[in-house]
């Protein structure tokens, strides 16, 4: 019966629900208020040139701190935001805050070359992603080349108009990286058709790189693929000196991971990483 009366009726009846479903709904309604309540903030994780030790960019990672729940991890709230559609609001907030932070750093004499921002599939569905990105760039004054959008292979393969959107984003000058590369769709044909600059080797392949021959083979293959297609390749989840040595040995000189730095709050980031002023 409740179903027949649509979403609101469903919601009404679901207040009686207990267990996991009810928890999800409560969490979802808390999440909906998170931006207005100033509970969302960003952490930034350095991306590093292994050979020179220089900061080449940072990835912006969303954080949600609820007054009662404490820190809710992204693996928990991002899927929920995607299901509920809140990701569009959240994604816009993340984009704007990322661009603003880049400008604030620059005003403080800290030049961060590039910021990477994750996009979810739902942000492509509305068709306004290009308009949103370009208006935020206009509003904040960040140069488009200093923004890199990260999308996964599944976003590219499962979004009808992804190619068109990505081409439009490229046309306004923003960069594009394929996140978690190697975990998604197996056809590589799309790579040569897309204006992509960067492949991010998924951290599942980096994790056991020195002990698992299969992971080692996959990582090497991705590095080679990137070279052949003239793309930058960055390794995710780099935690040890052995992994760094492996990457260098195989010609991958960009990395992101706990070995260099955990994601950190804006004010803590540059205790270790001193970007050049420009
Ligand atoms: P991702 O985009 O692949 O981000 C990298 C994740 O790996 C981050 O997890 C980061 O903290 C973690 N990581 C980095 N280095 C290491 C390492 O050395 N070891 C280990 N074990 N982990 C490492 P985080 O921040 O929990 O984010 C998880 C995922 O949530 C992200 O994966 C991304 O898919 C999603 N996410 C985070 N922020 C946003 C956002 O603003 N928008 C969207 N759409 N998704 C986001
Ligand atoms: Mg990412
Ligand atoms: Mg990733
Ligand atoms: Mg990942």
């Amino acid at each position: 019966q409740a179903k027949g009366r649509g979403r609101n009726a469903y919601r009404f009846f679901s207040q009686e629900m207990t267990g996991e479903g009810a928890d999800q709904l409560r969490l979802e309604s808390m999440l909906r208020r998170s931006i207005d309540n100033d509970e969302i903030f960003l952490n930034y994780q350095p991306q590093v040139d292994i050979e020179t030790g220089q900061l080449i960019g940072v990835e912006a990672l969303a954080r949600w701190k609820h007054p009662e729940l404490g820190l809710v991890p992204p693996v928990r709230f991002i899927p929920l935001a995607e299901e509920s559609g809140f990701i569009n609001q959240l994604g816009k907030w993340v984009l704007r805050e990322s661009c603003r932070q880049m400008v604030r750093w620059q005003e403080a004499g800290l030049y961060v070359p590039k910021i990477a921002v994750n996009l979810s599939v739902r942000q492509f569905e509305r068709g306004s992603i290009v308009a949103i990105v370009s208006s935020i760039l206009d509003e904040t004054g960040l140069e488009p080349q200093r923004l890199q959008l990260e999308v996964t292979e599944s976003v590219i393969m499962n979004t009808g108009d992804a190619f068109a959107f990505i081409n439009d984003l490229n046309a306004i000058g923003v960069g594009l990286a394929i996140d978690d590369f190697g975990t998604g769709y197996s056809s590589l044909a799309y790579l040569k058709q897309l204006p992509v600059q960067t492949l991010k080797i998924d951290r599942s392949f980096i994790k056991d790189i020195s002990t698992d021959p299969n992971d080692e083979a996959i990582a090497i293959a991705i590095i080679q693929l990137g070279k052949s297609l003239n793309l930058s390749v960055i390794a995710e989840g780099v935690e040890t000196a052995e992994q760094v040595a492996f990457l260098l040995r195989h010609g991958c000189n960009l990395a992101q991971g706990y070995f260099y730095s955990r994601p950190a709050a804006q004010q803590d980031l540059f205790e270790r990483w001193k970007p050049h002023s420009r």
Side-chain angles (χ1 to χ4, degrees), residues 12 15 38 49 77 92 97 117 139 144 154 156 160 171 181 232 234:
F12 174 75
Q15 289 186 351
D38 286 327
D49 182 320
F77 74 81
K92 208 191 244 181
E97 183 59 21
V117 176
E139 172 196 320
S154 62
I156 294 171
F181 190 78
S232 304
I234 174 162

Side-chain angles (χ1 to χ4, degrees), residues 190-232:
Y190 71 91
L191 275 182
K192 64 172 187 187
Q193 297 167 35
L194 279 178
V196 168
Q197 293 79 35
T198 303
L199 303 180
K200 298 189 78 177
I201 309 176
D202 189 69
R203 72 179 142 91
S204 62
F205 304 118
I206 303 300
K207 195 165 170 286
D208 300 316
I209 217 165
S210 34
T211 51
D212 184 330
N214 293 325
D215 287 346
E216 181 176 323
I218 291 169
I220 293 172
I222 296 174
I223 296 166
Q224 290 307 325
L225 178 70
K227 278 216 162 82
S228 324
L229 295 174
N230 217 356
L231 304 172
S232 304

